[in-house]
Amino acid sequence: AQSVSQHNHHVILSEAASLELGCNYSYGGTVNLFWYVQYPGQHLQLLLKYFSGDPLVKGIKGFEAEFIKSKFSFNLRKPSVQWSDTAEYFCAVNSGDYKLSFGAGTTVTVRA
Amino acid sequence: NAGVTQTPKFRVLKTGQSMTLLCAQDMNHEYMYWYRQDPGMGLRLIHYSVGEGTTAKGEVPDGYNVSRLKKQNFLLGLESAAPSQTSVYFCASNLGGGVGLNEQYFGPGTRLTVT
């Protein structure tokens, strides 16, 4: 079964700091990769996704992620965070079946 | 277009009681999913459906049953609730035709407490 690891459980940052969240997965074949965000009290929303092509993917709200196949990684980045980026972030992987496997999530707290 | 809706939003049950959570989507999506979200464990798939009349077990199916009698609805049942089923439950749907090609859309969640 696919496993997804998110390295950080809780990250605390100041506004304007840069953010990088790690995500590694276990499946060695073709994968589709996603980052979802859950703002406090809300449901999950898609930030960005990778299916094929350019391994650097740009999403909404200034987020981007880089797929490194050799490292089985799909790290999320944002150059300058805002207070409104306070949320929980989930990495998810699809290995060609009907399902997504989610990581445990990283809580990001941005201090104003 | 309401997307994915869930009822109820909150519920408190006593051990041994039963209940049904309803998920509805108005996007004509083929695939539907039920997840539970617990602190530090992310989302875990309970059951899913790839079309009307079909269901399949996910990662943590024990203690739950599901039905997909209509394409737009996916019901999650707890026959005899246990405290271990205290969680936030999310429904999601996907257009289908290869889940990797499409985004999953999530409902707002149901917070269930079993005492």
PDB file of all heavy atoms in Angstrom, chain A residues 9 32 34 36 38 43-44 46 51 88 90 94 97-100 102-104, chain B residues 31 33 35 37 40 42-43 45 48 50 90 99-101 103-104 106-108:
ATOM      1  N   HIS A   9       5.245  18.148  11.704  1.00  0.00           N
ATOM      2  CA  HIS A   9       3.900  18.091  12.251  1.00  0.00           C
ATOM      3  C   HIS A   9       3.323  19.496  12.424  1.00  0.00           C
ATOM      4  O   HIS A   9       2.159  19.751  12.134  1.00  0.00           O
ATOM      5  CB  HIS A   9       3.915  17.367  13.591  1.00  0.00           C
ATOM      6  CG  HIS A   9       2.584  17.291  14.247  1.00  0.00           C
ATOM      7  ND1 HIS A   9       1.498  16.637  13.690  1.00  0.00           N
ATOM      8  CD2 HIS A   9       2.124  17.808  15.410  1.00  0.00           C
ATOM      9  CE1 HIS A   9       0.458  16.751  14.482  1.00  0.00           C
ATOM     10  NE2 HIS A   9       0.802  17.450  15.531  1.00  0.00           N
ATOM     11  N   ASN A  32       0.384  10.409  -9.344  1.00  0.00           N
ATOM     12  CA  ASN A  32      -0.179  11.747  -9.435  1.00  0.00           C
ATOM     13  C   ASN A  32      -0.161  12.329  -8.030  1.00  0.00           C
ATOM     14  O   ASN A  32      -0.511  11.641  -7.066  1.00  0.00           O
ATOM     15  CB  ASN A  32      -1.608  11.695  -9.968  1.00  0.00           C
ATOM     16  CG  ASN A  32      -1.655  11.113 -11.372  1.00  0.00           C
ATOM     17  OD1 ASN A  32      -0.957  11.565 -12.265  1.00  0.00           O
ATOM     18  ND2 ASN A  32      -2.471  10.101 -11.562  1.00  0.00           N
ATOM     19  N   PHE A  34      -0.691  15.606  -5.140  1.00  0.00           N
ATOM     20  CA  PHE A  34      -1.565  16.721  -4.796  1.00  0.00           C
ATOM     21  C   PHE A  34      -1.132  17.334  -3.472  1.00  0.00           C
ATOM     22  O   PHE A  34      -0.607  16.654  -2.595  1.00  0.00           O
ATOM     23  CB  PHE A  34      -3.011  16.226  -4.618  1.00  0.00           C
ATOM     24  CG  PHE A  34      -3.582  15.489  -5.799  1.00  0.00           C
ATOM     25  CD1 PHE A  34      -3.267  14.158  -6.021  1.00  0.00           C
ATOM     26  CD2 PHE A  34      -4.446  16.126  -6.667  1.00  0.00           C
ATOM     27  CE1 PHE A  34      -3.798  13.466  -7.103  1.00  0.00           C
ATOM     28  CE2 PHE A  34      -4.987  15.442  -7.747  1.00  0.00           C
ATOM     29  CZ  PHE A  34      -4.660  14.110  -7.972  1.00  0.00           C
ATOM     30  N   TYR A  36      -3.294  19.591  -0.655  1.00  0.00           N
ATOM     31  CA  TYR A  36      -4.561  20.180  -0.244  1.00  0.00           C
ATOM     32  C   TYR A  36      -4.326  21.062   0.986  1.00  0.00           C
ATOM     33  O   TYR A  36      -3.413  20.809   1.782  1.00  0.00           O
ATOM     34  CB  TYR A  36      -5.575  19.103   0.132  1.00  0.00           C
ATOM     35  CG  TYR A  36      -6.237  18.427  -1.045  1.00  0.00           C
ATOM     36  CD1 TYR A  36      -5.626  17.350  -1.694  1.00  0.00           C
ATOM     37  CD2 TYR A  36      -7.474  18.858  -1.507  1.00  0.00           C
ATOM     38  CE1 TYR A  36      -6.244  16.738  -2.774  1.00  0.00           C
ATOM     39  CE2 TYR A  36      -8.102  18.241  -2.583  1.00  0.00           C
ATOM     40  CZ  TYR A  36      -7.476  17.189  -3.206  1.00  0.00           C
ATOM     41  OH  TYR A  36      -8.091  16.575  -4.282  1.00  0.00           O
ATOM     42  N   GLN A  38      -6.418  22.976   4.340  1.00  0.00           N
ATOM     43  CA  GLN A  38      -7.639  23.047   5.141  1.00  0.00           C
ATOM     44  C   GLN A  38      -7.523  24.242   6.081  1.00  0.00           C
ATOM     45  O   GLN A  38      -6.773  24.199   7.058  1.00  0.00           O
ATOM     46  CB  GLN A  38      -7.844  21.762   5.923  1.00  0.00           C
ATOM     47  CG  GLN A  38      -9.167  21.704   6.680  1.00  0.00           C
ATOM     48  CD  GLN A  38      -9.350  20.384   7.410  1.00  0.00           C
ATOM     49  OE1 GLN A  38      -8.385  19.736   7.813  1.00  0.00           O
ATOM     50  NE2 GLN A  38     -10.601  19.982   7.600  1.00  0.00           N
ATOM     51  N   HIS A  43     -13.429  22.944   4.828  1.00  0.00           N
ATOM     52  CA  HIS A  43     -13.117  21.662   4.216  1.00  0.00           C
ATOM     53  C   HIS A  43     -11.825  21.759   3.407  1.00  0.00           C
ATOM     54  O   HIS A  43     -11.284  22.848   3.226  1.00  0.00           O
ATOM     55  CB  HIS A  43     -14.278  21.219   3.338  1.00  0.00           C
ATOM     56  CG  HIS A  43     -14.587  22.177   2.232  1.00  0.00           C
ATOM     57  ND1 HIS A  43     -15.339  23.315   2.414  1.00  0.00           N
ATOM     58  CD2 HIS A  43     -14.238  22.182   0.926  1.00  0.00           C
ATOM     59  CE1 HIS A  43     -15.445  23.959   1.274  1.00  0.00           C
ATOM     60  NE2 HIS A  43     -14.779  23.292   0.356  1.00  0.00           N
ATOM     61  N   LEU A  44     -11.347  20.626   2.941  1.00  0.00           N
ATOM     62  CA  LEU A  44     -10.113  20.607   2.165  1.00  0.00           C
ATOM     63  C   LEU A  44     -10.323  21.215   0.785  1.00  0.00           C
ATOM     64  O   LEU A  44     -11.344  20.981   0.134  1.00  0.00           O
ATOM     65  CB  LEU A  44      -9.626  19.171   1.997  1.00  0.00           C
ATOM     66  CG  LEU A  44      -8.794  18.606   3.136  1.00  0.00           C
ATOM     67  CD1 LEU A  44      -9.697  18.204   4.291  1.00  0.00           C
ATOM     68  CD2 LEU A  44      -7.987  17.411   2.657  1.00  0.00           C
ATOM     69  N   LEU A  46      -8.081  22.090  -2.969  1.00  0.00           N
ATOM     70  CA  LEU A  46      -6.891  21.769  -3.727  1.00  0.00           C
ATOM     71  C   LEU A  46      -5.995  22.992  -3.894  1.00  0.00           C
ATOM     72  O   LEU A  46      -6.458  24.059  -4.311  1.00  0.00           O
ATOM     73  CB  LEU A  46      -7.287  21.250  -5.097  1.00  0.00           C
ATOM     74  CG  LEU A  46      -6.137  20.785  -5.991  1.00  0.00           C
ATOM     75  CD1 LEU A  46      -5.493  19.528  -5.409  1.00  0.00           C
ATOM     76  CD2 LEU A  46      -6.621  20.518  -7.409  1.00  0.00           C
ATOM     77  N   PHE A  51       0.622  15.911 -12.537  1.00  0.00           N
ATOM     78  CA  PHE A  51       0.321  14.668 -13.248  1.00  0.00           C
ATOM     79  C   PHE A  51       1.483  14.263 -14.137  1.00  0.00           C
ATOM     80  O   PHE A  51       1.873  13.112 -14.190  1.00  0.00           O
ATOM     81  CB  PHE A  51      -0.936  14.819 -14.109  1.00  0.00           C
ATOM     82  CG  PHE A  51      -2.182  15.033 -13.315  1.00  0.00           C
ATOM     83  CD1 PHE A  51      -3.198  15.847 -13.790  1.00  0.00           C
ATOM     84  CD2 PHE A  51      -2.366  14.443 -12.082  1.00  0.00           C
ATOM     85  CE1 PHE A  51      -4.351  16.059 -13.054  1.00  0.00           C
ATOM     86  CE2 PHE A  51      -3.513  14.643 -11.337  1.00  0.00           C
ATOM     87  CZ  PHE A  51      -4.514  15.459 -11.833  1.00  0.00           C
ATOM     88  N   GLU A  88      -3.939  23.830   7.827  1.00  0.00           N
ATOM     89  CA  GLU A  88      -3.312  22.522   7.806  1.00  0.00           C
ATOM     90  C   GLU A  88      -3.134  22.111   6.348  1.00  0.00           C
ATOM     91  O   GLU A  88      -4.039  22.281   5.530  1.00  0.00           O
ATOM     92  CB  GLU A  88      -4.158  21.497   8.561  1.00  0.00           C
ATOM     93  CG  GLU A  88      -3.431  20.180   8.783  1.00  0.00           C
ATOM     94  CD  GLU A  88      -3.988  19.347   9.914  1.00  0.00           C
ATOM     95  OE1 GLU A  88      -5.115  19.617  10.367  1.00  0.00           O
ATOM     96  OE2 GLU A  88      -3.283  18.400  10.347  1.00  0.00           O
ATOM     97  N   PHE A  90      -2.031  19.140   3.541  1.00  0.00           N
ATOM     98  CA  PHE A  90      -1.958  17.703   3.339  1.00  0.00           C
ATOM     99  C   PHE A  90      -1.393  17.380   1.966  1.00  0.00           C
ATOM    100  O   PHE A  90      -1.849  17.934   0.961  1.00  0.00           O
ATOM    101  CB  PHE A  90      -3.363  17.072   3.424  1.00  0.00           C
ATOM    102  CG  PHE A  90      -3.993  17.155   4.771  1.00  0.00           C
ATOM    103  CD1 PHE A  90      -4.841  18.209   5.095  1.00  0.00           C
ATOM    104  CD2 PHE A  90      -3.750  16.179   5.727  1.00  0.00           C
ATOM    105  CE1 PHE A  90      -5.439  18.283   6.342  1.00  0.00           C
ATOM    106  CE2 PHE A  90      -4.352  16.246   6.980  1.00  0.00           C
ATOM    107  CZ  PHE A  90      -5.185  17.296   7.288  1.00  0.00           C
ATOM    108  N   ASN A  94      -1.774   9.604  -5.620  1.00  0.00           N
ATOM    109  CA  ASN A  94      -2.569   8.604  -6.324  1.00  0.00           C
ATOM    110  C   ASN A  94      -1.629   7.780  -7.191  1.00  0.00           C
ATOM    111  O   ASN A  94      -0.857   8.329  -7.957  1.00  0.00           O
ATOM    112  CB  ASN A  94      -3.639   9.267  -7.181  1.00  0.00           C
ATOM    113  CG  ASN A  94      -4.287   8.305  -8.145  1.00  0.00           C
ATOM    114  OD1 ASN A  94      -4.070   8.357  -9.356  1.00  0.00           O
ATOM    115  ND2 ASN A  94      -5.085   7.395  -7.620  1.00  0.00           N
ATOM    116  N   ASP A  97      -4.944   4.034  -9.097  1.00  0.00           N
ATOM    117  CA  ASP A  97      -6.212   3.373  -8.803  1.00  0.00           C
ATOM    118  C   ASP A  97      -7.258   4.447  -8.484  1.00  0.00           C
ATOM    119  O   ASP A  97      -7.117   5.592  -8.893  1.00  0.00           O
ATOM    120  CB  ASP A  97      -6.044   2.373  -7.653  1.00  0.00           C
ATOM    121  CG  ASP A  97      -5.497   3.017  -6.385  1.00  0.00           C
ATOM    122  OD1 ASP A  97      -5.357   4.249  -6.350  1.00  0.00           O
ATOM    123  OD2 ASP A  97      -5.187   2.283  -5.443  1.00  0.00           O
ATOM    124  N   TYR A  98      -8.297   4.055  -7.779  1.00  0.00           N
ATOM    125  CA  TYR A  98      -9.390   5.009  -7.533  1.00  0.00           C
ATOM    126  C   TYR A  98      -9.166   5.881  -6.309  1.00  0.00           C
ATOM    127  O   TYR A  98     -10.011   6.691  -5.980  1.00  0.00           O
ATOM    128  CB  TYR A  98     -10.703   4.247  -7.324  1.00  0.00           C
ATOM    129  CG  TYR A  98     -11.083   3.348  -8.470  1.00  0.00           C
ATOM    130  CD1 TYR A  98     -11.102   1.964  -8.315  1.00  0.00           C
ATOM    131  CD2 TYR A  98     -11.435   3.885  -9.697  1.00  0.00           C
ATOM    132  CE1 TYR A  98     -11.453   1.141  -9.360  1.00  0.00           C
ATOM    133  CE2 TYR A  98     -11.784   3.058 -10.754  1.00  0.00           C
ATOM    134  CZ  TYR A  98     -11.794   1.697 -10.582  1.00  0.00           C
ATOM    135  OH  TYR A  98     -12.154   0.882 -11.614  1.00  0.00           O
ATOM    136  N   LYS A  99      -8.062   5.707  -5.616  1.00  0.00           N
ATOM    137  CA  LYS A  99      -7.950   6.292  -4.290  1.00  0.00           C
ATOM    138  C   LYS A  99      -6.777   7.267  -4.159  1.00  0.00           C
ATOM    139  O   LYS A  99      -5.803   7.205  -4.896  1.00  0.00           O
ATOM    140  CB  LYS A  99      -7.772   5.177  -3.247  1.00  0.00           C
ATOM    141  CG  LYS A  99      -8.852   4.103  -3.321  1.00  0.00           C
ATOM    142  CD  LYS A  99      -8.686   3.082  -2.220  1.00  0.00           C
ATOM    143  CE  LYS A  99      -7.475   2.209  -2.366  1.00  0.00           C
ATOM    144  NZ  LYS A  99      -7.599   1.280  -3.500  1.00  0.00           N
ATOM    145  N   LEU A 100      -6.917   8.158  -3.197  1.00  0.00           N
ATOM    146  CA  LEU A 100      -5.821   9.016  -2.773  1.00  0.00           C
ATOM    147  C   LEU A 100      -5.329   8.532  -1.421  1.00  0.00           C
ATOM    148  O   LEU A 100      -6.125   8.179  -0.560  1.00  0.00           O
ATOM    149  CB  LEU A 100      -6.290  10.463  -2.620  1.00  0.00           C
ATOM    150  CG  LEU A 100      -6.499  11.310  -3.870  1.00  0.00           C
ATOM    151  CD1 LEU A 100      -6.952  12.708  -3.469  1.00  0.00           C
ATOM    152  CD2 LEU A 100      -5.232  11.381  -4.697  1.00  0.00           C
ATOM    153  N   PHE A 102      -3.323   9.962   1.838  1.00  0.00           N
ATOM    154  CA  PHE A 102      -2.977  11.247   2.426  1.00  0.00           C
ATOM    155  C   PHE A 102      -1.879  11.101   3.466  1.00  0.00           C
ATOM    156  O   PHE A 102      -1.797  10.095   4.179  1.00  0.00           O
ATOM    157  CB  PHE A 102      -4.197  11.863   3.127  1.00  0.00           C
ATOM    158  CG  PHE A 102      -5.198  12.462   2.178  1.00  0.00           C
ATOM    159  CD1 PHE A 102      -6.172  11.670   1.593  1.00  0.00           C
ATOM    160  CD2 PHE A 102      -5.158  13.812   1.870  1.00  0.00           C
ATOM    161  CE1 PHE A 102      -7.102  12.212   0.706  1.00  0.00           C
ATOM    162  CE2 PHE A 102      -6.084  14.362   0.998  1.00  0.00           C
ATOM    163  CZ  PHE A 102      -7.049  13.562   0.409  1.00  0.00           C
ATOM    164  N   GLY A 103      -1.046  12.134   3.555  1.00  0.00           N
ATOM    165  CA  GLY A 103      -0.129  12.222   4.668  1.00  0.00           C
ATOM    166  C   GLY A 103      -0.865  12.677   5.918  1.00  0.00           C
ATOM    167  O   GLY A 103      -2.054  13.010   5.871  1.00  0.00           O
ATOM    168  N   ALA A 104      -0.140  12.697   7.036  1.00  0.00           N
ATOM    169  CA  ALA A 104      -0.754  13.028   8.322  1.00  0.00           C
ATOM    170  C   ALA A 104      -1.071  14.509   8.468  1.00  0.00           C
ATOM    171  O   ALA A 104      -1.801  14.899   9.370  1.00  0.00           O
ATOM    172  CB  ALA A 104       0.150  12.568   9.466  1.00  0.00           C
TER     173      ALA A 104
ATOM    174  N   TYR B  31     -17.365   9.064  -8.851  1.00  0.00           N
ATOM    175  CA  TYR B  31     -16.722   8.477  -7.677  1.00  0.00           C
ATOM    176  C   TYR B  31     -17.077   9.280  -6.436  1.00  0.00           C
ATOM    177  O   TYR B  31     -17.069  10.514  -6.458  1.00  0.00           O
ATOM    178  CB  TYR B  31     -15.194   8.488  -7.825  1.00  0.00           C
ATOM    179  CG  TYR B  31     -14.636   7.747  -9.008  1.00  0.00           C
ATOM    180  CD1 TYR B  31     -13.314   7.929  -9.381  1.00  0.00           C
ATOM    181  CD2 TYR B  31     -15.404   6.876  -9.773  1.00  0.00           C
ATOM    182  CE1 TYR B  31     -12.771   7.266 -10.471  1.00  0.00           C
ATOM    183  CE2 TYR B  31     -14.870   6.207 -10.862  1.00  0.00           C
ATOM    184  CZ  TYR B  31     -13.554   6.415 -11.207  1.00  0.00           C
ATOM    185  OH  TYR B  31     -13.017   5.759 -12.294  1.00  0.00           O
ATOM    186  N   TYR B  33     -16.455   9.194  -1.911  1.00  0.00           N
ATOM    187  CA  TYR B  33     -15.573   8.663  -0.876  1.00  0.00           C
ATOM    188  C   TYR B  33     -16.038   9.125   0.499  1.00  0.00           C
ATOM    189  O   TYR B  33     -16.562  10.233   0.649  1.00  0.00           O
ATOM    190  CB  TYR B  33     -14.141   9.190  -1.082  1.00  0.00           C
ATOM    191  CG  TYR B  33     -13.568   8.974  -2.460  1.00  0.00           C
ATOM    192  CD1 TYR B  33     -13.876   9.844  -3.490  1.00  0.00           C
ATOM    193  CD2 TYR B  33     -12.712   7.912  -2.714  1.00  0.00           C
ATOM    194  CE1 TYR B  33     -13.343   9.661  -4.761  1.00  0.00           C
ATOM    195  CE2 TYR B  33     -12.173   7.718  -3.978  1.00  0.00           C
ATOM    196  CZ  TYR B  33     -12.495   8.587  -4.993  1.00  0.00           C
ATOM    197  OH  TYR B  33     -11.961   8.397  -6.249  1.00  0.00           O
ATOM    198  N   TYR B  35     -14.139   9.634   4.228  1.00  0.00           N
ATOM    199  CA  TYR B  35     -12.900   9.644   4.994  1.00  0.00           C
ATOM    200  C   TYR B  35     -13.233   9.980   6.446  1.00  0.00           C
ATOM    201  O   TYR B  35     -14.215  10.640   6.745  1.00  0.00           O
ATOM    202  CB  TYR B  35     -11.952  10.731   4.496  1.00  0.00           C
ATOM    203  CG  TYR B  35     -11.414  10.571   3.107  1.00  0.00           C
ATOM    204  CD1 TYR B  35     -12.082  11.119   2.018  1.00  0.00           C
ATOM    205  CD2 TYR B  35     -10.218   9.905   2.880  1.00  0.00           C
ATOM    206  CE1 TYR B  35     -11.566  11.006   0.732  1.00  0.00           C
ATOM    207  CE2 TYR B  35      -9.691   9.784   1.595  1.00  0.00           C
ATOM    208  CZ  TYR B  35     -10.376  10.333   0.533  1.00  0.00           C
ATOM    209  OH  TYR B  35      -9.863  10.220  -0.739  1.00  0.00           O
ATOM    210  N   GLN B  37     -11.097  11.927   9.664  1.00  0.00           N
ATOM    211  CA  GLN B  37      -9.918  12.720   9.960  1.00  0.00           C
ATOM    212  C   GLN B  37      -9.701  12.746  11.458  1.00  0.00           C
ATOM    213  O   GLN B  37     -10.572  13.199  12.218  1.00  0.00           O
ATOM    214  CB  GLN B  37     -10.055  14.163   9.443  1.00  0.00           C
ATOM    215  CG  GLN B  37      -8.806  15.001   9.666  1.00  0.00           C
ATOM    216  CD  GLN B  37      -8.965  16.429   9.202  1.00  0.00           C
ATOM    217  OE1 GLN B  37     -10.080  16.944   9.099  1.00  0.00           O
ATOM    218  NE2 GLN B  37      -7.866  17.078   8.892  1.00  0.00           N
ATOM    219  N   GLY B  40      -3.273  14.107  13.833  1.00  0.00           N
ATOM    220  CA  GLY B  40      -2.003  13.446  13.612  1.00  0.00           C
ATOM    221  C   GLY B  40      -2.048  12.261  12.673  1.00  0.00           C
ATOM    222  O   GLY B  40      -1.023  11.617  12.438  1.00  0.00           O
ATOM    223  N   GLY B  42      -4.043  12.387   9.563  1.00  0.00           N
ATOM    224  CA  GLY B  42      -4.479  12.767   8.230  1.00  0.00           C
ATOM    225  C   GLY B  42      -5.867  12.253   7.935  1.00  0.00           C
ATOM    226  O   GLY B  42      -6.686  12.049   8.835  1.00  0.00           O
ATOM    227  N   LEU B  43      -6.140  12.027   6.671  1.00  0.00           N
ATOM    228  CA  LEU B  43      -7.425  11.479   6.255  1.00  0.00           C
ATOM    229  C   LEU B  43      -7.248  10.005   5.914  1.00  0.00           C
ATOM    230  O   LEU B  43      -6.345   9.635   5.162  1.00  0.00           O
ATOM    231  CB  LEU B  43      -7.957  12.215   5.024  1.00  0.00           C
ATOM    232  CG  LEU B  43      -8.696  13.496   5.301  1.00  0.00           C
ATOM    233  CD1 LEU B  43      -7.731  14.625   5.578  1.00  0.00           C
ATOM    234  CD2 LEU B  43      -9.597  13.858   4.127  1.00  0.00           C
ATOM    235  N   LEU B  45      -9.244   6.617   4.411  1.00  0.00           N
ATOM    236  CA  LEU B  45     -10.390   6.244   3.593  1.00  0.00           C
ATOM    237  C   LEU B  45     -11.172   5.120   4.260  1.00  0.00           C
ATOM    238  O   LEU B  45     -10.620   4.064   4.600  1.00  0.00           O
ATOM    239  CB  LEU B  45      -9.909   5.807   2.209  1.00  0.00           C
ATOM    240  CG  LEU B  45     -10.975   5.447   1.192  1.00  0.00           C
ATOM    241  CD1 LEU B  45     -11.838   6.665   0.861  1.00  0.00           C
ATOM    242  CD2 LEU B  45     -10.317   4.911  -0.076  1.00  0.00           C
ATOM    243  N   TYR B  48     -15.479   3.629  -0.429  1.00  0.00           N
ATOM    244  CA  TYR B  48     -15.636   4.463  -1.594  1.00  0.00           C
ATOM    245  C   TYR B  48     -16.549   3.777  -2.605  1.00  0.00           C
ATOM    246  O   TYR B  48     -16.885   2.596  -2.457  1.00  0.00           O
ATOM    247  CB  TYR B  48     -14.283   4.820  -2.228  1.00  0.00           C
ATOM    248  CG  TYR B  48     -13.503   3.654  -2.774  1.00  0.00           C
ATOM    249  CD1 TYR B  48     -13.496   3.374  -4.136  1.00  0.00           C
ATOM    250  CD2 TYR B  48     -12.736   2.853  -1.927  1.00  0.00           C
ATOM    251  CE1 TYR B  48     -12.761   2.313  -4.640  1.00  0.00           C
ATOM    252  CE2 TYR B  48     -12.000   1.796  -2.414  1.00  0.00           C
ATOM    253  CZ  TYR B  48     -12.008   1.526  -3.765  1.00  0.00           C
ATOM    254  OH  TYR B  48     -11.283   0.481  -4.267  1.00  0.00           O
ATOM    255  N   VAL B  50     -17.333   3.705  -6.977  1.00  0.00           N
ATOM    256  CA  VAL B  50     -16.925   4.160  -8.311  1.00  0.00           C
ATOM    257  C   VAL B  50     -18.119   4.256  -9.255  1.00  0.00           C
ATOM    258  O   VAL B  50     -17.947   4.430 -10.471  1.00  0.00           O
ATOM    259  CB  VAL B  50     -15.813   3.274  -8.908  1.00  0.00           C
ATOM    260  CG1 VAL B  50     -14.574   3.368  -8.034  1.00  0.00           C
ATOM    261  CG2 VAL B  50     -16.268   1.844  -9.074  1.00  0.00           C
ATOM    262  N   PHE B  90     -15.416  13.260   6.464  1.00  0.00           N
ATOM    263  CA  PHE B  90     -15.493  14.039   5.235  1.00  0.00           C
ATOM    264  C   PHE B  90     -15.917  13.147   4.085  1.00  0.00           C
ATOM    265  O   PHE B  90     -15.421  12.038   3.916  1.00  0.00           O
ATOM    266  CB  PHE B  90     -14.142  14.665   4.886  1.00  0.00           C
ATOM    267  CG  PHE B  90     -13.775  15.818   5.748  1.00  0.00           C
ATOM    268  CD1 PHE B  90     -12.911  15.655   6.813  1.00  0.00           C
ATOM    269  CD2 PHE B  90     -14.287  17.080   5.495  1.00  0.00           C
ATOM    270  CE1 PHE B  90     -12.569  16.730   7.626  1.00  0.00           C
ATOM    271  CE2 PHE B  90     -13.945  18.164   6.295  1.00  0.00           C
ATOM    272  CZ  PHE B  90     -13.089  17.990   7.366  1.00  0.00           C
ATOM    273  N   VAL B  99      -8.889   8.580 -11.468  1.00  0.00           N
ATOM    274  CA  VAL B  99      -8.938   9.552 -10.379  1.00  0.00           C
ATOM    275  C   VAL B  99      -7.749  10.491 -10.430  1.00  0.00           C
ATOM    276  O   VAL B  99      -7.828  11.637 -10.019  1.00  0.00           O
ATOM    277  CB  VAL B  99      -9.036   8.844  -9.017  1.00  0.00           C
ATOM    278  CG1 VAL B  99      -7.732   8.105  -8.704  1.00  0.00           C
ATOM    279  CG2 VAL B  99      -9.341   9.829  -7.917  1.00  0.00           C
ATOM    280  N   GLY B 100      -6.637  10.044 -10.963  1.00  0.00           N
ATOM    281  CA  GLY B 100      -5.478  10.915 -10.988  1.00  0.00           C
ATOM    282  C   GLY B 100      -5.650  12.118 -11.886  1.00  0.00           C
ATOM    283  O   GLY B 100      -4.936  13.097 -11.758  1.00  0.00           O
ATOM    284  N   LEU B 101      -6.589  12.061 -12.781  1.00  0.00           N
ATOM    285  CA  LEU B 101      -6.771  13.167 -13.710  1.00  0.00           C
ATOM    286  C   LEU B 101      -7.698  14.244 -13.167  1.00  0.00           C
ATOM    287  O   LEU B 101      -7.827  15.299 -13.740  1.00  0.00           O
ATOM    288  CB  LEU B 101      -7.331  12.650 -15.034  1.00  0.00           C
ATOM    289  CG  LEU B 101      -6.433  11.673 -15.787  1.00  0.00           C
ATOM    290  CD1 LEU B 101      -7.134  11.199 -17.046  1.00  0.00           C
ATOM    291  CD2 LEU B 101      -5.107  12.309 -16.130  1.00  0.00           C
ATOM    292  N   GLU B 103      -9.599  16.323  -9.736  1.00  0.00           N
ATOM    293  CA  GLU B 103      -9.538  16.777  -8.360  1.00  0.00           C
ATOM    294  C   GLU B 103     -10.652  16.148  -7.552  1.00  0.00           C
ATOM    295  O   GLU B 103     -11.753  15.939  -8.042  1.00  0.00           O
ATOM    296  CB  GLU B 103      -9.695  18.290  -8.356  1.00  0.00           C
ATOM    297  CG  GLU B 103      -9.869  18.958  -7.025  1.00  0.00           C
ATOM    298  CD  GLU B 103     -10.158  20.441  -7.179  1.00  0.00           C
ATOM    299  OE1 GLU B 103     -10.073  20.944  -8.306  1.00  0.00           O
ATOM    300  OE2 GLU B 103     -10.475  21.063  -6.162  1.00  0.00           O
ATOM    301  N   GLN B 104     -10.369  15.844  -6.294  1.00  0.00           N
ATOM    302  CA  GLN B 104     -11.426  15.444  -5.377  1.00  0.00           C
ATOM    303  C   GLN B 104     -11.997  16.694  -4.730  1.00  0.00           C
ATOM    304  O   GLN B 104     -11.258  17.547  -4.267  1.00  0.00           O
ATOM    305  CB  GLN B 104     -10.899  14.493  -4.304  1.00  0.00           C
ATOM    306  CG  GLN B 104     -10.719  13.073  -4.792  1.00  0.00           C
ATOM    307  CD  GLN B 104     -10.611  12.063  -3.676  1.00  0.00           C
ATOM    308  OE1 GLN B 104     -10.827  12.365  -2.518  1.00  0.00           O
ATOM    309  NE2 GLN B 104     -10.276  10.829  -4.032  1.00  0.00           N
ATOM    310  N   PHE B 106     -14.316  18.141  -1.672  1.00  0.00           N
ATOM    311  CA  PHE B 106     -14.673  17.707  -0.334  1.00  0.00           C
ATOM    312  C   PHE B 106     -15.891  18.456   0.189  1.00  0.00           C
ATOM    313  O   PHE B 106     -16.110  19.625  -0.117  1.00  0.00           O
ATOM    314  CB  PHE B 106     -13.497  17.934   0.618  1.00  0.00           C
ATOM    315  CG  PHE B 106     -12.413  16.930   0.452  1.00  0.00           C
ATOM    316  CD1 PHE B 106     -11.452  17.087  -0.528  1.00  0.00           C
ATOM    317  CD2 PHE B 106     -12.364  15.807   1.268  1.00  0.00           C
ATOM    318  CE1 PHE B 106     -10.451  16.150  -0.694  1.00  0.00           C
ATOM    319  CE2 PHE B 106     -11.365  14.864   1.108  1.00  0.00           C
ATOM    320  CZ  PHE B 106     -10.405  15.042   0.126  1.00  0.00           C
ATOM    321  N   GLY B 107     -16.645  17.749   1.020  1.00  0.00           N
ATOM    322  CA  GLY B 107     -17.733  18.373   1.747  1.00  0.00           C
ATOM    323  C   GLY B 107     -17.224  19.074   2.988  1.00  0.00           C
ATOM    324  O   GLY B 107     -16.038  18.994   3.305  1.00  0.00           O
ATOM    325  N   PRO B 108     -18.111  19.750   3.729  1.00  0.00           N
ATOM    326  CA  PRO B 108     -17.699  20.553   4.878  1.00  0.00           C
ATOM    327  C   PRO B 108     -17.401  19.740   6.128  1.00  0.00           C
ATOM    328  O   PRO B 108     -16.865  20.279   7.090  1.00  0.00           O
ATOM    329  CB  PRO B 108     -18.902  21.470   5.113  1.00  0.00           C
ATOM    330  CG  PRO B 108     -20.052  20.702   4.567  1.00  0.00           C
ATOM    331  CD  PRO B 108     -19.526  19.920   3.412  1.00  0.00           C
TER     332      PRO B 108
END
